[in-house]
Amino acid sequence: MKKRMWYSCIAFAMVLVSAALLRAEPVHRDHVSIELVSDQSAARPGDTVTVGLKIQLEDEWHVYWTNPGDAGLAPRVKWNLPPGFVASPLQFPVPKRIPAGPLVSFGYDKELLLLSDIVIPSDFIPDSLFSFNAEVDWLVCKVECIPGDAVLSLMVPIVENGLAEATAWDEQFRLVRTKQAVEDTNWSVTASASKTNLQLIFTSKSERSSTIPSDLFFFPTKKGIIDNSAAQVLAKKERGFELTIPLNSMNTDTLTEISGLLVAENQWANEGTRTGLKFSAPATMLSSPTPIAFAAVEITWWQAILFAFVGGLILNLMPCVLPVLSIKVLSFVQQAGEGRKQILQHNAVFTLGVLVSFWILAAGLLLLRAGGEQLGWGFQLQSPAFIIILSSFMFLMALNLLGVFEVGTSLTGIGGNSRRSGLLGSFIAGVTATVVATPCTAPFMGSALGYSLTQPALISLAIFTALGLGMSAPYVILTSTPWLLRFVPKPGRWMETLKHVMGFLLMATVVWLVWVLSIQAGSDSILLLLATLLVLGLCAWILGRWGGYAVEQGKRVTAITAAVALALASVSLASFNVTPADSVASGMTQADGLTWEPFSPERVTELNGQGRPLLIDFTAAWCLSCKVNERVAFGSLDVQGKLSSLSVVTMKADWTSRDERITKALAEFGRNSVPLYVLYTGKTGQSPIVLPELLTPGIVIEALNKLEG
C-alpha cells in the first residue's frame, strides 16, 4: 500500500513538473523558429497524445501546404518512436494563396501549428518521462528559398493514473482544429472535367439556405492539375453552388478522381462553423462542346487537301497578297512578248518559289511546335526583327521599281535581258508572294491549316503543298493557255509608268509594316526602322549612281560592295536591337464604334458562368483581312446596335505579338491562324458559334439572331 502511494506521489510530482517541460526550447534557423508542444500535461498507456509542430516565421517569409502550388515543398517530420507507438500524418490547417509574380503558391505565413496524434501502446511501462523525438525539415521562402532541418524533442510524463491537465497550448490547439477543413456528410460533391475546365457542384442536404461562401477557392490535393493563378468562378445553384476552375494546360493526366479543400474567407460549411470543406469525388470527363460553324465541316485528310487548294486559289484575292501580285502582273505583260517555252519556265519557277516557301514555313512550324512552341500561321510576322527585314526588302523593291537603282531588274523579272536573271526574279516573286500572304487566311484555309498541325508530318506537308499549288494555279493556267495571253497588253513605254505605280503600292505596304512594328515594339522601333530605311535609300542611290555597267569596273565593284555591306549592316543592327513591347493591349480599347475587352481565358470562363453572351475577335495588326472585316462588319451601325441590344460582351484577342494563351485558344477551335470570330451564346450546354473568315454585317447579324431563339 505504501509502495502504491509512493508511486502516486512521484506521478503527481511528474505531472506538476511536466507543465514546464511540455514546451521544449525552440530551435532557431534562418527566418524560422520551430519547436514541439503538447496540449496535455501527461498521458497514460493506451492514450492518444496530440503533439504540435509549431513554426514561427519572420515577416514576409512563408512555408508550404501539402500541395505547394506552383513551387515549394511542405514541411516533413520523421518521428523516432519506440515500437508500438503510432503517429498520424501531420494535420495541416487550410492554406492561403501566396502570389509571386505569375506563380501562385499554397502555404502559410507568420505562424503555423501542425498537429499529429500519437497513440501510446497500452503495455507501455508508465511512471516515466517519455521523450517524443522528431527529425523535421522544411523549405522557407520569401523571394529566395532556404531549406532547413532540425532534431526536436518533447518530454511528456506517462503515468499509470492521474488526470492529464490542460496546458497553456490547449486554446491554440483548439483554434487550429477549427481551422482544419473537415469532411461533412451534409454536403455532396460531384466533379466533371472538360478539356479546359474542372467543374465542382457541391450540394447541401440541408433544407436551410446555405451561407454564400466568400472568395471561395479550390485547393487540390494533387499538384499540377489546375491553373493556380486563374480566377475560379462561383455560381449559386438551387441548393448549393457550382465552382468552375481552369485546368492546367500542361497537365496530361486523365482526371479520374478529384480531392482537395474548398476554402472561403467566411464560415459557410459545416453549419456555418467552418471555412473549409474537405472532399474526394470521382471525376467525369466531358467531351468539349463542338463549335458550330457557319460553313461545313467534318474534315478528313483529303478534304483538308481540297480545302487548302481552294483556299490557296482564293488567297490571291486577299488584301495581303495584292501589293506583291502587282509585280506578277507586270511579269505577265513582259512574258506576253516571249516564246511559249520561256513563259512556262518563268511560271514553273514562280510556282517552285511558292512551294519551297510553303515547305520551309511548314517544316519550321512543325519543328517548333514539336519543340513545345505555341505558334501558328503567320508566326514569323509576330517577330519585330522579321518585320524590319521584310520592310527593308519591300522598300528596296519599291526603289527598284521607281528606277532609283537597277540590278539587272533581277528582283522583279521585269524588262530583264538576261533569261537567267529573269528566272531568279520569278523565283523571288514566288517567295515574296508567299511570305506576304501569310498574314491572311482565306475561306477554307483556316480549317485546313488547323487540321494540318494535328496530323503526321507527311499529311501536313501535303496540305501545305496543296495550298501552294492553289496559290500558283491561276498563273500556271493563264500562261499555259496562249489565247488568254492575247488579252494581255503588249510591252511598251506605258510599262515604265505602271512600274512606278507599283513601286508606290509597295511603299504603301512598307507604311503598313511600320504601323505593325509600332504596335509590336513601341514608338522607338519606328525611329529604328525609319533610320534603317534611310540608310537603305542611300545604298540604293549609290547603286544607281555608280553600280551601272556604264561606270568603270573598279568603281562599280567598290560601289556595289560598299552598298551591300552598308545595307546588310544597317538591317542586321536594327533587327538585333528591336525588342517586343511588354504588352500589346492590356486594357479596354475602343475600335469600330465598340468597346473591346482584352482577351482573358479567365474572363471567358467567368462570363460563361454568368450566362453572358460573348463575341471574341481573334485578330492581329498584320492581318489585313482582319482589318477589312472589322471595318466592314463591326463598323456597321446595324451590327453595333444589335450587339448593344443583346448586351453582348465584345473581346479582342490580339495576336499581333506572340501570345501562348491566344494560340492555345485558337487550337481549341481547331485553328492556328487569324481571323477567327467566336460567338458564345451564354446559354448552358450550347456550343459557341464560329463565324466565317470573311464577314459582312448580314453574317454577323444572322449569328446574333440565334441568341434570341
Side-chain angles (χ1 to χ4, degrees), residues 183-250:
E183 295 179 353
D184 189 340
T185 55
N186 189 48
W187 289 92
S188 63
V189 180
T190 59
S192 58
S194 65
K195 187 176 180 181
T196 55
N197 290 323
L198 169 67
Q199 281 192 321
L200 299 177
I201 298 176
F202 39 110
T203 307
S204 173
K205 298 176 182 175
S206 171
E207 295 293 333
R208 294 177 296 176
S209 60
S210 302
T211 302
I212 296 177
S214 172
D215 195 19
L216 188 74
F217 193 87
F218 171 59
F219 293 89
T221 304
K222 187 177 179 181
K223 183 179 179 181
I225 64 172
I226 70 168
D227 184 347
N228 299 321
S229 61
Q232 301 182 1
V233 180
L234 181 69
K236 180 78 173 71
K237 296 297 178 183
E238 183 178 356
R239 290 179 59 180
F241 308 93
E242 178 182 277
L243 189 65
T244 302
I245 304 146
L247 289 171
N248 183 356
S249 60
M250 303 300 290

Side-chain angles (χ1 to χ4, degrees), residues 119 134 155 161 165 167 213 286 289 293 303 353 474 493 573 617 625 665 683 694:
V119 179
M155 303 294 290
N161 295 306
E165 297 182 356
T167 68
L286 303 175
Q303 287 175 318
R493 292 180 59 83
L573 187 64
D617 173 14
S625 301
K683 298 174 182 176
L694 293 180

Side-chain angles (χ1 to χ4, degrees), residues 36 81 100 102 106 135 170 206 239 264 266 287 332 346 352 376 395 438 445 448 473 484 543 550 560 617 634 708:
L36 290 177
L81 302 170
F106 303 149
E135 298 174 23
D170 181 68
S206 171
R239 290 179 59 180
N266 59 337
S287 57
F332 280 139
H346 275 292
L352 182 63
F395 183 67
T438 52
M445 263 185 67
L484 286 176
L543 286 174
I560 292 174
D617 173 14
F634 300 138
E708 299 174 315

Side-chain angles (χ1 to χ4, degrees), residues 407 536 539-540 542-543 557-571:
V407 188
L536 292 178
C539 295
I542 292 172
L543 286 174
V557 172
T558 302
I560 292 174
T561 304
V564 171
L566 187 58
L568 291 176
S570 62
V571 174

Side-chain angles (χ1 to χ4, degrees), residues 222-342:
K222 187 177 179 181
K223 183 179 179 181
I225 64 172
I226 70 168
D227 184 347
N228 299 321
S229 61
Q232 301 182 1
V233 180
L234 181 69
K236 180 78 173 71
K237 296 297 178 183
E238 183 178 356
R239 290 179 59 180
F241 308 93
E242 178 182 277
L243 189 65
T244 302
I245 304 146
L247 289 171
N248 183 356
S249 60
M250 303 300 290
N251 178 53
T252 56
D253 295 341
T254 301
L255 299 179
T256 57
E257 184 173 4
I258 296 294
S259 62
L261 312 179
L262 289 164
V263 180
E265 292 292 325
N266 59 337
Q267 296 178 337
W268 63 281
N270 197 241
E271 298 183 348
T273 62
R274 294 278 179 173
T275 62
L277 178 68
K278 182 179 180 181
F279 75 94
S280 176
T284 303
M285 291 301 298
L286 303 175
S287 57
S288 299
T290 303
I292 301 172
F294 262 46
V297 343
E298 282 298 327
I299 297 277
T300 61
W301 66 268
W302 65 268
Q303 287 175 318
I305 289 176
L306 178 62
F307 285 175
F309 184 82
V310 175
L313 280 173
I314 302 175
L315 191 59
N316 288 292
L317 302 176
M318 303 305 285
C320 299
V321 194
L322 292 178
V324 177
L325 291 189
S326 60
I327 297 171
K328 193 60 188 168
V329 171
L330 284 174
S331 176
F332 280 139
V333 173
Q334 180 204 8
Q335 290 166 12
E338 296 182 354
R340 178 177 171 78
K341 182 178 178 182
Q342 286 72 32

Side-chain angles (χ1 to χ4, degrees), residues 304-449:
I305 289 176
L306 178 62
F307 285 175
F309 184 82
V310 175
L313 280 173
I314 302 175
L315 191 59
N316 288 292
L317 302 176
M318 303 305 285
C320 299
V321 194
L322 292 178
V324 177
L325 291 189
S326 60
I327 297 171
K328 193 60 188 168
V329 171
L330 284 174
S331 176
F332 280 139
V333 173
Q334 180 204 8
Q335 290 166 12
E338 296 182 354
R340 178 177 171 78
K341 182 178 178 182
Q342 286 72 32
I343 292 173
L344 291 175
Q345 283 181 340
H346 275 292
N347 288 284
V349 172
F350 172 81
T351 302
L352 182 63
V354 171
L355 291 178
V356 168
S357 305
F358 271 107
W359 291 334
I360 292 174
L361 280 173
L365 198 55
L366 292 171
L367 285 173
L368 289 171
R369 287 180 71 92
E373 295 286 344
Q374 296 293 324
L375 299 172
W377 180 246
F379 67 95
Q380 73 276 16
L381 287 165
Q382 294 175 331
S383 163
F386 183 83
I387 293 292
I388 287 180
I389 294 171
L390 183 60
S391 302
S392 301
F393 182 62
M394 301 291 278
F395 183 67
L396 286 175
M397 289 179 68
L399 293 180
N400 180 255
L401 289 173
L402 291 170
V404 177
F405 74 104
E406 298 284 344
V407 188
T409 63
S410 59
L411 285 180
T412 61
I414 300 169
N417 296 320
S418 167
R419 177 184 162 197
R420 183 177 177 183
S421 63
L423 290 177
L424 178 60
S426 293
F427 184 84
I428 292 177
V431 173
T432 308
T434 306
V435 172
V436 178
T438 52
C440 284
T441 55
F444 300 101
M445 263 185 67
S447 300
L449 288 173

Side-chain angles (χ1 to χ4, degrees), residues 46-64:
D47 280 357
T48 297
V49 177
T50 302
V51 176
L53 177 65
K54 185 173 187 299
I55 301 174
Q56 191 78 35
L57 299 157
E58 292 182 3
D59 289 344
E60 301 182 32
W61 290 82
H62 60 268
V63 292
Y64 297 93

